[in-house]
Amino acid sequence: MNSAINTPSSSEGSASHTVAWVRTWGASPQAPNNSVSCIEPFENATLRQIVRITGGGHRIRIRNEYGTAPLTIGAAHVAITDTDDGIQHGSDHAVTFSGQPTATVPAGAPILSDPIDLRTAALSRLTISLYLPDRVDTATCHGTFHTLGWLIPGDATALVSLPAGAAPLPAQALITAVEVQPETPTQAIAVIGDSRVDGMGSTPGTDRRWTDRIAERLAAHGGQALCVVSQGINGNRMLTDGIGTAALARFDRDILATPGLGHVVIAVGNDLIFSFAPRTEETAGFLSMFPGSPVGVDGIIAAHLQLAARARAHGVVAASRCESSCRTRRPGRPYLGVLSCSTLSRIWWTSAYRASDLLAKAWFSPQTPVLVGAPDRPGVRGRSP
């Protein structure tokens, strides 16, 4: 296929104007010990996972980034998902890697599949099945599982429907991206964020995250095709590692390396929340997941501006979803309707208001430098959508 996209940020296809890949789905990789949930060791089993793509899918990316040993892929299949989470008749395709049906991925490395001859419409759901014959002790994962997935004994890559022995997966595993080689101009919107981007609290398999809703609106609007890629990590922070690598550190890997990148949305807001959280016996256990010294507003603004500068250096537009959106809620009112009586809720409402007020006052002040823009577009201040 040919594409008319000019994507200077894409590492794949940048050397050729006739081949340009665009990411249509993604999940930020995490280490099993640095995630809210993970995959327990397994062997001789198939991982079957369903993902919704926003612009078609023709190859998959698998990461063994946090693996402690080479990962052997015994077989892989991709198919269009049917309404009952089975496989749509006639859509199943075997996946190859450098022309071979099997592959070994070194520890710390990713692997791209060969292009898959499977026509898919925007907002389709793909079933991706990986058979891993050898023992996997440390599976690179994504801790917030907003999709659906199962662990099935043996090689079940070609099965049309789930067998009785399929066990639900607690986390996304190994698959970190689906990419398309489009026939019309297409760009990716990559969103880096925390739980609000990652879909914490959203029902798995329903595609109700706000990034999913934006993808639906863009598809209905028409015009140039835009793929929305969510790279949120539940509990993630801008400056400090904790749950997942800090956004400032993973920005190149998860955002700037996105094939077909055209727009960046920055929506990370936990640093100030946990910096201002009350340190009590009740909150100690929860806050232990977020180590590091407290940070201030100046550090957060500087980090946002740094990410925007790095995005602009790649010729893409960057926008920020500011924490000040919290200010529209009243203290004591439940967040997402489920946390009003929990320790987390009390931390949120005690600290988020102080953090949001401080951030908003500094962020929207006349002295704050512009946040976003591209070489051919003026900057505008970061604000909540």
Side-chain angles (χ1 to χ4, degrees), residues 208-266:
R208 292 178 181 172
R209 300 172 300 171
W210 64 265
T211 50
D212 297 322
R213 295 305 196 199
I214 289 177
E216 293 166 3
R217 291 184 181 184
L218 290 172
H221 183 267
Q224 181 183 16
L226 294 168
C227 301
V228 181
V229 183
S230 174
Q231 295 286 22
I233 294 179
N234 180 32
N236 202 219
R237 290 180 288 176
M238 178 69 80
L239 297 171
T240 312
D241 292 347
I243 299 180
T245 304
L248 204 62
R250 66 184 179 95
F251 191 67
D252 284 15
R253 180 198 67 184
D254 291 349
I255 302 299
L256 296 184
T258 300
L261 182 65
H263 306 265
V264 173
V265 178
I266 305 164

Coordinates of all heavy atoms in Angstrom, one line a residue, residues 208-266:
R208 N -14.8 2.6 26.9 CA -15.4 3.8 27.4 C -14.5 4.9 28.0 O -14.9 5.8 28.6 CB -16.5 3.5 28.4 CG -17.7 2.7 27.8 CD -18.7 2.3 28.9 NE -19.8 1.6 28.4 CZ -20.7 1.0 29.1 NH1 -20.6 1.1 30.5 NH2 -21.7 0.3 28.6
R209 N -13.2 4.7 27.7 CA -12.2 5.7 28.2 C -12.5 7.0 27.4 O -13.0 6.9 26.3 CB -10.8 5.2 28.0 CG -10.5 4.0 28.8 CD -9.1 3.5 28.4 NE -9.0 3.1 26.9 CZ -7.9 2.9 26.3 NH1 -6.7 2.8 26.9 NH2 -7.9 2.6 25.0
W210 N -12.1 8.1 27.9 CA -12.3 9.3 27.2 C -11.5 9.4 25.9 O -11.9 10.0 24.9 CB -12.1 10.6 28.0 CG -10.7 10.9 28.5 CD1 -10.1 10.5 29.7 CD2 -9.6 11.6 27.8 NE1 -8.8 11.0 29.8 CE2 -8.5 11.6 28.6 CE3 -9.5 12.2 26.5 CZ2 -7.3 12.2 28.3 CZ3 -8.3 12.8 26.2 CH2 -7.2 12.8 27.0
T211 N -10.4 8.7 25.8 CA -9.6 8.6 24.6 C -10.4 7.7 23.6 O -10.3 8.0 22.3 CB -8.3 8.0 24.8 OG1 -8.4 6.8 25.6 CG2 -7.4 8.9 25.6
D212 N -11.1 6.7 24.0 CA -12.0 5.9 23.1 C -13.1 6.8 22.5 O -13.5 6.7 21.4 CB -12.6 4.7 23.9 CG -11.6 3.8 24.4 OD1 -10.6 3.5 23.6 OD2 -11.7 3.2 25.5
R213 N -13.7 7.6 23.4 CA -14.8 8.5 23.0 C -14.3 9.5 21.9 O -15.0 9.8 20.9 CB -15.4 9.2 24.1 CG -16.1 8.3 25.2 CD -17.1 7.5 24.5 NE -18.1 6.9 25.5 CZ -18.8 5.8 25.2 NH1 -18.8 5.2 24.0 NH2 -19.6 5.3 26.1
I214 N -13.1 10.1 22.1 CA -12.5 11.0 21.2 C -12.3 10.3 19.8 O -12.6 10.8 18.8 CB -11.2 11.6 21.7 CG1 -11.5 12.6 22.8 CG2 -10.5 12.3 20.6 CD1 -10.3 13.2 23.5
A215 N -11.8 9.0 19.9 CA -11.6 8.3 18.6 C -12.9 8.1 17.9 O -13.0 8.2 16.6 CB -11.0 6.9 18.9
E216 N -14.0 7.9 18.6 CA -15.3 7.7 18.0 C -15.8 9.0 17.3 O -16.3 9.0 16.2 CB -16.3 7.2 19.0 CG -16.1 5.8 19.5 CD -16.8 5.5 20.8 OE1 -17.7 6.3 21.2 OE2 -16.7 4.3 21.3
R217 N -15.6 10.1 18.1 CA -16.0 11.4 17.5 C -15.2 11.8 16.3 O -15.8 12.3 15.3 CB -15.9 12.5 18.6 CG -16.8 12.3 19.8 CD -16.7 13.5 20.7 NE -17.6 13.4 21.9 CZ -17.7 14.3 22.8 NH1 -17.0 15.4 22.8 NH2 -18.5 14.1 23.8
L218 N -13.9 11.5 16.3 CA -13.1 11.8 15.1 C -13.5 11.0 13.9 O -13.5 11.5 12.8 CB -11.6 11.6 15.5 CG -11.0 12.6 16.5 CD1 -9.6 12.2 16.9 CD2 -11.0 14.0 15.9
A219 N -13.8 9.7 14.2 CA -14.2 8.8 13.1 C -15.5 9.3 12.5 O -15.7 9.2 11.3 CB -14.3 7.4 13.6
A220 N -16.5 9.7 13.3 CA -17.8 10.2 12.9 C -17.7 11.6 12.2 O -18.5 11.9 11.3 CB -18.7 10.3 14.0
H221 N -16.7 12.4 12.5 CA -16.5 13.7 12.0 C -16.1 13.7 10.5 O -16.4 14.6 9.7 CB -15.6 14.5 12.8 CG -15.4 15.9 12.4 ND1 -14.4 16.3 11.5 CD2 -16.1 17.0 12.7 CE1 -14.5 17.6 11.3 NE2 -15.5 18.1 12.0
G222 N -15.3 12.7 10.2 CA -14.8 12.6 8.8 C -13.5 13.5 8.7 O -12.9 13.9 9.7
G223 N -13.1 13.8 7.4 CA -11.9 14.5 7.2 C -10.7 13.6 7.3 O -10.8 12.4 7.1
Q224 N -9.5 14.2 7.6 CA -8.3 13.4 7.6 C -8.4 12.3 8.8 O -8.9 12.6 9.9 CB -7.1 14.3 7.9 CG -5.8 13.5 8.0 CD -4.6 14.3 8.3 OE1 -4.7 15.4 8.8 NE2 -3.4 13.8 8.1
A225 N -8.0 11.1 8.5 CA -8.1 10.0 9.5 C -7.1 10.3 10.6 O -5.9 10.7 10.4 CB -7.8 8.7 8.8
L226 N -7.6 10.2 11.8 CA -6.7 10.4 13.0 C -6.9 9.2 13.9 O -8.0 8.8 14.3 CB -7.1 11.6 13.8 CG -6.9 13.0 13.0 CD1 -7.6 14.1 13.7 CD2 -5.4 13.2 12.9
C227 N -5.8 8.6 14.3 CA -5.8 7.4 15.2 C -5.4 7.9 16.6 O -4.4 8.6 16.8 CB -4.8 6.4 14.8 SG -5.1 5.7 13.1
V228 N -6.2 7.6 17.6 CA -6.0 8.0 19.0 C -5.3 6.8 19.7 O -5.8 5.7 19.8 CB -7.3 8.4 19.7 CG1 -7.0 8.8 21.1 CG2 -8.0 9.5 18.9
V229 N -4.1 7.1 20.3 CA -3.3 6.1 20.9 C -3.1 6.5 22.4 O -2.5 7.5 22.7 CB -1.9 5.9 20.3 CG1 -1.1 4.8 20.9 CG2 -2.0 5.7 18.8
S230 N -3.7 5.7 23.3 CA -3.7 6.0 24.7 C -2.4 5.3 25.3 O -2.2 4.1 25.2 CB -4.9 5.4 25.4 OG -4.8 5.5 26.8
Q231 N -1.6 6.2 25.9 CA -0.4 5.7 26.6 C -0.4 6.1 28.0 O 0.6 6.6 28.6 CB 0.9 6.3 25.9 CG 1.1 5.8 24.4 CD 1.5 4.4 24.3 OE1 1.4 3.6 25.3 NE2 2.1 4.0 23.2
G232 N -1.5 5.9 28.7 CA -1.6 6.2 30.1 C -1.2 5.0 30.9 O -1.2 3.9 30.5
I233 N -0.7 5.3 32.1 CA -0.4 4.3 33.1 C -1.0 4.7 34.4 O -0.8 5.8 34.9 CB 1.2 4.2 33.3 CG1 1.8 3.7 32.1 CG2 1.5 3.3 34.5 CD1 3.4 3.6 32.2
N234 N -1.8 3.9 35.0 CA -2.5 4.1 36.2 C -1.5 4.4 37.3 O -0.6 3.6 37.6 CB -3.4 2.9 36.6 CG -4.1 3.1 37.9 OD1 -4.5 4.2 38.3 ND2 -4.3 2.1 38.7
G235 N -1.6 5.6 38.0 CA -0.7 6.0 39.1 C 0.6 6.6 38.6 O 1.4 7.0 39.4
N236 N 0.7 6.9 37.3 CA 1.9 7.4 36.7 C 2.1 8.9 37.2 O 1.2 9.6 37.4 CB 1.9 7.4 35.2 CG 3.3 7.4 34.6 OD1 3.4 8.0 33.5 ND2 4.3 6.8 35.1
R237 N 3.4 9.3 37.3 CA 3.8 10.6 37.6 C 4.7 11.2 36.5 O 5.2 10.5 35.7 CB 4.4 10.7 39.0 CG 3.5 10.4 40.1 CD 4.2 10.5 41.5 NE 5.1 9.3 41.7 CZ 5.9 9.2 42.7 NH1 5.9 10.1 43.7 NH2 6.7 8.1 42.9
M238 N 4.8 12.5 36.5 CA 5.6 13.2 35.5 C 7.1 13.1 35.8 O 7.9 12.8 34.9 CB 5.2 14.7 35.5 CG 6.0 15.6 34.5 SD 5.6 15.2 32.8 CE 4.1 16.1 32.7
L239 N 7.5 13.3 37.1 CA 8.9 13.4 37.4 C 9.5 12.2 38.1 O 10.8 12.1 38.0 CB 9.1 14.7 38.3 CG 8.7 16.0 37.7 CD1 8.8 17.1 38.7 CD2 9.7 16.4 36.6
T240 N 8.7 11.4 38.7 CA 9.3 10.3 39.5 C 8.7 9.0 39.2 O 7.5 8.9 39.0 CB 9.0 10.6 41.0 OG1 9.4 12.0 41.3 CG2 9.8 9.7 41.9
D241 N 9.6 8.0 39.1 CA 9.1 6.6 38.9 C 8.3 6.2 40.1 O 8.4 6.7 41.2 CB 10.3 5.7 38.7 CG 11.1 5.9 37.4 OD1 10.6 6.6 36.5 OD2 12.2 5.4 37.3
G242 N 7.5 5.2 39.9 CA 6.7 4.6 41.0 C 5.9 3.5 40.4 O 6.4 2.3 40.3
I243 N 4.7 3.8 39.9 CA 3.9 2.8 39.1 C 4.2 3.2 37.7 O 3.7 4.2 37.1 CB 2.4 2.9 39.5 CG1 2.2 2.5 40.9 CG2 1.7 1.9 38.6 CD1 0.8 2.5 41.4
G244 N 5.1 2.5 37.1 CA 5.5 2.8 35.7 C 6.6 3.8 35.7 O 6.8 4.6 36.7
T245 N 7.4 3.8 34.6 CA 8.4 4.8 34.4 C 7.8 6.2 34.4 O 6.8 6.4 33.8 CB 9.2 4.5 33.2 OG1 9.7 3.2 33.2 CG2 10.4 5.5 33.0
A246 N 8.5 7.2 34.9 CA 8.0 8.6 34.9 C 7.7 9.1 33.5 O 8.5 8.7 32.6 CB 8.9 9.5 35.7
A247 N 6.7 9.9 33.3 CA 6.3 10.4 32.0 C 7.5 11.1 31.3 O 7.7 10.9 30.1 CB 5.1 11.3 32.1
L248 N 8.2 11.9 32.1 CA 9.4 12.6 31.5 C 10.4 11.6 30.9 O 11.1 12.0 29.9 CB 10.0 13.5 32.5 CG 10.8 14.7 32.0 CD1 9.9 15.7 31.3 CD2 11.4 15.5 33.2
A249 N 10.6 10.5 31.5 CA 11.6 9.5 31.1 C 11.0 8.6 30.0 O 11.8 8.2 29.1 CB 12.0 8.6 32.3
R250 N 9.7 8.3 29.9 CA 9.2 7.4 28.9 C 8.7 8.1 27.7 O 8.1 7.5 26.8 CB 8.1 6.5 29.5 CG 6.8 7.2 30.0 CD 5.9 6.2 30.7 NE 4.7 6.8 31.1 CZ 3.5 6.8 30.5 NH1 3.5 6.2 29.3 NH2 2.4 7.3 31.0
F251 N 8.8 9.4 27.7 CA 8.2 10.2 26.6 C 8.7 9.8 25.2 O 7.9 9.7 24.3 CB 8.4 11.7 26.9 CG 7.6 12.6 26.0 CD1 6.2 12.7 26.1 CD2 8.2 13.4 25.1 CE1 5.5 13.6 25.3 CE2 7.5 14.3 24.3 CZ 6.1 14.4 24.4
D252 N 10.0 9.6 25.1 CA 10.6 9.3 23.8 C 10.1 7.9 23.3 O 9.7 7.7 22.2 CB 12.1 9.2 23.9 CG 12.7 10.6 23.9 OD1 12.0 11.6 24.1 OD2 13.9 10.7 23.7
R253 N 10.1 6.9 24.3 CA 9.7 5.6 23.9 C 8.2 5.5 23.6 O 7.8 4.9 22.5 CB 10.0 4.6 25.1 CG 9.6 3.2 24.8 CD 9.5 2.4 26.1 NE 8.5 2.8 27.0 CZ 8.2 2.3 28.2 NH1 9.1 1.4 28.7 NH2 7.2 2.8 28.9
D254 N 7.4 6.0 24.4 CA 5.9 5.8 24.3 C 5.2 6.9 23.4 O 4.2 6.6 22.8 CB 5.2 5.9 25.7 CG 5.6 4.7 26.5 OD1 6.2 3.8 26.0 OD2 5.3 4.8 27.7
I255 N 5.8 8.0 23.2 CA 5.2 9.1 22.4 C 6.0 9.4 21.2 O 5.5 9.3 20.0 CB 5.0 10.3 23.3 CG1 4.1 10.0 24.6 CG2 4.3 11.4 22.5 CD1 2.8 9.5 24.3
L256 N 7.2 9.9 21.3 CA 7.9 10.4 20.1 C 8.3 9.3 19.1 O 8.4 9.6 18.0 CB 9.1 11.2 20.6 CG 8.9 12.5 21.4 CD1 10.2 13.2 21.7 CD2 7.9 13.4 20.7
A257 N 8.4 8.1 19.6 CA 8.7 7.0 18.7 C 7.4 6.4 18.0 O 7.5 5.5 17.3 CB 9.4 5.9 19.5
T258 N 6.3 7.1 18.2 CA 5.0 6.6 17.6 C 5.0 6.8 16.1 O 5.2 8.0 15.7 CB 3.8 7.4 18.2 OG1 3.8 7.1 19.6 CG2 2.5 7.0 17.6
P259 N 4.9 5.8 15.3 CA 4.9 6.0 13.8 C 3.7 6.8 13.5 O 2.6 6.7 14.0 CB 4.8 4.6 13.3 CG 5.3 3.7 14.4 CD 4.9 4.4 15.7
G260 N 3.9 7.8 12.6 CA 2.8 8.7 12.1 C 2.4 9.7 13.1 O 1.3 10.3 12.9
L261 N 3.2 10.0 14.1 CA 2.8 11.0 15.1 C 2.5 12.4 14.5 O 3.4 12.9 13.8 CB 3.9 11.1 16.2 CG 3.6 12.0 17.4 CD1 2.4 11.4 18.2 CD2 4.8 12.0 18.3
G262 N 1.4 12.9 14.9 CA 1.0 14.3 14.5 C 0.7 15.2 15.6 O 0.8 16.4 15.5
H263 N 0.1 14.6 16.7 CA -0.3 15.4 17.8 C 0.0 14.7 19.1 O 0.0 13.5 19.2 CB -1.8 15.7 17.8 CG -2.3 16.3 16.5 ND1 -2.5 17.6 16.3 CD2 -2.6 15.7 15.3 CE1 -2.9 17.9 15.1 NE2 -2.9 16.7 14.4
V264 N 0.3 15.5 20.2 CA 0.6 14.9 21.5 C -0.3 15.6 22.5 O -0.5 16.8 22.5 CB 2.1 15.2 21.9 CG1 2.3 14.7 23.3 CG2 3.0 14.4 21.0
V265 N -0.9 14.8 23.4 CA -1.7 15.3 24.5 C -1.0 14.9 25.8 O -0.7 13.7 26.0 CB -3.1 14.8 24.5 CG1 -3.9 15.4 25.7 CG2 -3.8 15.2 23.2
I266 N -0.7 15.8 26.7 CA 0.0 15.6 28.0 C -1.1 15.7 29.1 O -1.7 16.7 29.3 CB 1.1 16.6 28.2 CG1 2.1 16.6 27.0 CG2 1.9 16.3 29.5 CD1 3.0 17.8 27.0

